């Protein structure tokens, strides 16, 4: 399915809803709010939820790296290997820091994308408020060749 931009999607949903509301006499504010909710739900399903899923996986990955690094650290104390202790400690710390930084980046990205989506929706509503509604497409009358007019010379 071709994913069009949020603004185009909002305009098409809004225009279709406004045409239908004229027939059923629904308040315009209701139609605008319902169209906004429809597009927001579509955005959440296709963009926000996958980003949240990836972001929510990161803390457990960091925890697994930390506990694995500490486990190796405790084992290395028993073997008395200085380089192994250092590597285990580095693994424990970097996995936590990596998970935290990536989580913050993904959550910030999600927030920025959501804010941009709301801005585009506001633009679409403002545009739709000032633009005339297009008429539903009607079949064009069949083109008949013009009959030649006799000339009076």
């Amino acid at each position: 399915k071709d994913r069009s931009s949020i603004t185009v999607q909002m305009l098409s949903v809004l225009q279709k809803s406004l045409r239908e509301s004229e027939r059923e006499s629904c308040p315009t504010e209701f139609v605008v709010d319902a169209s906004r909710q429809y597009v927001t739900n579509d955005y959440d399903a296709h963009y926000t939820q996958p980003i949240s899923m990836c972001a929510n996986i990161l803390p457990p990955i960091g925890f697994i790296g930390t506990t694995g690094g500490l486990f190796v650290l405790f084992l290395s104390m028993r073997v008395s290997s200085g380089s192994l202790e250092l590597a285990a400690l580095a693994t424990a710390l970097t996995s936590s820091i990596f998970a935290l930084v990536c989580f913050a980046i993904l959550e910030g990205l999600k927030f920025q994308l959501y804010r941009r989506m709301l801005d585009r929706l506001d633009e679409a509503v403002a545009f739709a408020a000032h633009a005339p509604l297009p008429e539903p497409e009607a079949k064009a009358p069949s083109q008949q060749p013009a009959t030649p007019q006799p000339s009076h010379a």
Side-chain angles (χ1 to χ4, degrees):
K1 182 179 174 182
D2 182 28
R3 305 293 316 156
S4 59
S5 76
I6 283 289
T7 305
V8 172
Q9 185 181 7
M10 177 68 179
L11 280 173
S12 66
V13 168
L14 189 59
Q15 288 176 341
K16 181 180 176 188
S17 300
L18 286 173
R19 272 197 306 270
E20 290 174 3
S21 73
E22 287 176 351
R23 286 183 280 167
E24 299 173 13
S25 68
C26 291
T28 304
E29 293 81 19
F30 171 76
V31 172
V32 169
D33 186 52
S35 300
R36 179 185 297 265
Q37 189 62 44
Y38 175 81
V39 173
T40 302
N41 288 343
D42 187 59
Y43 171 83
D44 286 341
H46 289 93
Y47 301 105
T48 304
Q49 289 176 357
I51 292 172
S52 293
M53 183 185 69
C54 292
N56 291 335
I57 288 173
L58 288 170
I61 289 174
F63 180 71
I64 290 169
T66 300
T67 54
L70 291 176
F71 179 72
V72 172
L73 178 65
F74 293 139
L75 288 178
S76 68
M77 287 179 182
R78 194 165 165 97
V79 177
S80 298
S81 173
S83 63
L84 188 57
E85 287 179 14
L86 185 60
L89 189 58
T91 301
L93 293 176
T94 55
S95 65
S96 297
I97 290 171
F98 173 76
L100 179 65
V101 168
C102 289
F103 179 81
I105 289 170
L106 286 175
E107 286 296 314
L109 175 69
K110 187 172 71 170
F111 177 76
Q112 291 295 326
L113 289 175
Y114 191 75
R115 191 173 57 90
R116 286 188 70 196
M117 183 219 32
L118 291 178
D119 291 344
R120 299 297 88 78
L121 289 178
D122 291 340
E123 289 174 8
V125 169
F127 180 79
H130 299 305
L133 288 177
E135 294 299 320
E137 294 179 16
K139 293 183 180 178
S142 61
Q143 297 286 340
Q144 295 180 356
T147 56
Q149 299 289 332
S151 61
H152 298 282

